Amino acid sequence: MKVFVNTKEIEVLETATLPDALEKFCAIPPFAVMVNEEFVAKSQQENFVLSEHDKIEVLSAIQGG
Amino acid sequence: MSSQLDIYGTKVDSRMLIGSALYPSPKIMQESIDASGAQIVTLSLSRQNPQKLGGQAGGETFWQIIQSLGVTLLPNTAGCHSVKEAVTMAQMSREIFATDWIKLELVGDDFNLQPDPIDLVKATEILLNDGFKVLPYCTDDLVIARHLVELGCKVIMPWGSPIGTGKGLLNPYALQAIRDRFPEVTLIVDSGIGKPSHAMQAMEMGVDAILLNTAVAQAQNPQVMAQAFKGAIESGRLAYEAGAMVERDSASASTPTLDSPFWHSNSN
């Protein structure tokens, strides 16, 4: 099935969990994640089962004022 | 040496908080932050691009550079336009930066990036209840400040003028009113500072600290400007603690005139 990570389309298995998609995206720690605009804490990511067309956002540190 | 700055019980010596954005290069950012003496540095979150992050040919990532500075991090919620966005961003920041401090920014209008006072209060309440130590970026409205203080904010951060304008303190009266009304709150002027004299003016008024970014990062020589701000902020604080003389309308000679040999000799 298709999911989106930072707007990039990624193909994952129907049974995929969030870490599967993050691995495929090659996310580099440290990062924080939300799925469909909801924050998913690190402790909840392992068992988070994805659904078709889920929108995953992987955020990391940038410069800020 | 002046007294320490209090951020929710954490005491720091420097009364200057500095941003990490807009510098000509990472090296200049590092050197400017060092020169400023700031112990608290702001930063933010955005979408990760692993190819870009991993493709810097051995160069340090922003995250590695920031960590090497040994400063306290103050993440912001820049770019958030709703309570939900700001709360979610704060939660993500807390996890990634391992801090419950959040510089709460909630844009109310893109024209001048003015904070939305109503949603700011709503988001502040949610975050305080969730254990955050909220540093809200607000306008210089006394009543909004009162709502934030009543919710439990120990720090409030009114603007001097809109972000990045460098116009200084557009409404010193309003800032003074907030200072006088809430003497127990840590008051930080955030945004709009363009020159060291602006920062000093605020500090002389009794503001506790200054948060700035563009004024240093976009200076012709950011490292030297960082030093200039450091001096101005320290001097302004010392002046406030020393207590300025009372201004008066009539002239008054500073040199004693009694026993002057010319005392009234030419007067008619």
Side-chain angles (χ1 to χ4, degrees):
Chain A
M1 65 179 177
K2 285 174 189 162
V3 296
F4 298 89
V5 184
N6 288 0
T7 70
K8 186 180 168 188
E9 192 178 297
I10 287 185
E11 193 69 34
V12 291
L13 296 174
E14 297 290 327
T15 53
T17 58
L18 187 50
D20 297 328
L22 295 174
E23 193 183 332
K24 209 149 194 193
F25 179 71
C26 301
I28 299 171
F31 55 78
V33 177
M34 62 178 156
V35 178
N36 301 329
E37 300 184 359
E38 297 290 339
F39 170 58
V40 182
K42 226 172 224 142
S43 57
Q44 300 166 340
Q45 289 174 13
E46 194 66 38
N47 299 318
F48 192 103
V49 178
L50 294 172
S51 303
E52 177 93 27
H53 297 141
D54 270 348
K55 292 188 175 69
I56 302 160
E57 296 283 354
V58 180
L59 305 193
S60 57
I62 59 155
Q63 299 87 337
Chain B
M1 189 173 164
S2 68
S3 57
Q4 290 183 303
L5 177 67
D6 185 341
I7 308 280
Y8 284 91
T10 297
K11 303 283 177 64
V12 293
D13 293 325
S14 172
R15 291 178 176 273
M16 180 171 173
L17 293 76
I18 195 164
S20 54
L22 301 174
Y23 295 88
S25 71
K27 182 171 180 285
I28 293 175
M29 178 192 76
Q30 277 177 286
E31 291 173 357
S32 300
I33 293 172
D34 276 344
S36 74
Q39 295 161 289
I40 299 171
V41 175
T42 58
L43 75 177
S44 196
L45 286 179
S46 78
R47 280 180 178 148
Q48 184 183 103
N49 181 340
Q51 282 68 43
K52 204 173 159 192
L53 266 184
Q56 294 184 341
E60 284 184 302
T61 63
F62 169 72
W63 178 235
Q64 289 167 328
I65 293 169
I66 274 294
Q67 282 186 303
S68 73
L69 293 173
V71 292
T72 299
L73 301 179
L74 174 56
N76 69 29
T77 61
C80 291
H81 287 72
S82 70
V83 173
K84 182 172 168 42
E85 285 175 11
V87 168
T88 304
M89 186 73 104
Q91 290 168 332
M92 297 176 89
S93 293
R94 178 165 61 182
E95 182 176 87
I96 205 166
F97 300 123
T99 177
D100 50 10
W101 289 10
I102 191 73
K103 180 191 170 194
L104 183 60
E105 295 184 38
L106 225 160
V107 178
D109 194 294
D110 284 326
F111 181 71
N112 62 354
L113 301 177
Q114 183 163 335
D116 182 323
I118 296 159
D119 280 352
L120 184 73
V121 170
K122 288 179 188 168
T124 297
E125 183 169 21
I126 293 168
L127 292 170
L128 285 172
N129 287 337
D130 192 19
F132 282 90
K133 295 184 169 70
V134 182
L135 291 81
Y137 168 57
C138 53
T139 60
D140 49 23
D141 187 285
L142 179 73
V143 179
I144 293 301
R146 183 167 62 78
H147 284 300
L148 294 168
V149 172
E150 285 175 354
L151 283 174
C153 287
K154 306 291 184 204
V155 179
I156 53 173
M157 305 205 297
W159 68 3
S161 46
I163 295 172
T165 60
K167 288 180 178 295
L169 310 186
L170 289 183
N171 194 342
Y173 169 81
L175 286 173
Q176 190 70 65
I178 294 173
R179 173 69 299 166
D180 295 345
R181 176 71 177 81
F182 307 108
E184 75 288 358
V185 168
T186 296
L187 187 62
I188 302 174
V189 168
D190 175 11
S191 91
I193 297 295
K195 300 173 189 169
S197 56
H198 300 153
M200 183 180 267
Q201 180 190 5
M203 294 304 292
E204 286 175 352
M205 289 164 58
V207 163
D208 293 294
I210 304 291
L211 196 165
L212 57 86
N213 189 158
T214 313
V216 167
Q218 300 283 286
Q220 306 275 323
N221 187 329
Q223 300 96 320
V224 174
M225 188 58 85
Q227 278 183 291
F229 270 104
K230 180 176 189 278
I233 290 167
E234 286 173 358
S235 294
R237 180 63 189 185
L238 284 173
Y240 170 71
E241 291 183 0
M245 65 163 277
V246 177
E247 187 181 314
R248 42 190 183 214
D249 290 329
S250 58
S252 175
S254 50
T255 304
T257 50
L258 193 64
D259 293 331
S260 163
F262 310 113
W263 179 248
H264 286 189
S265 58
N266 290 327
S267 63
N268 294 314

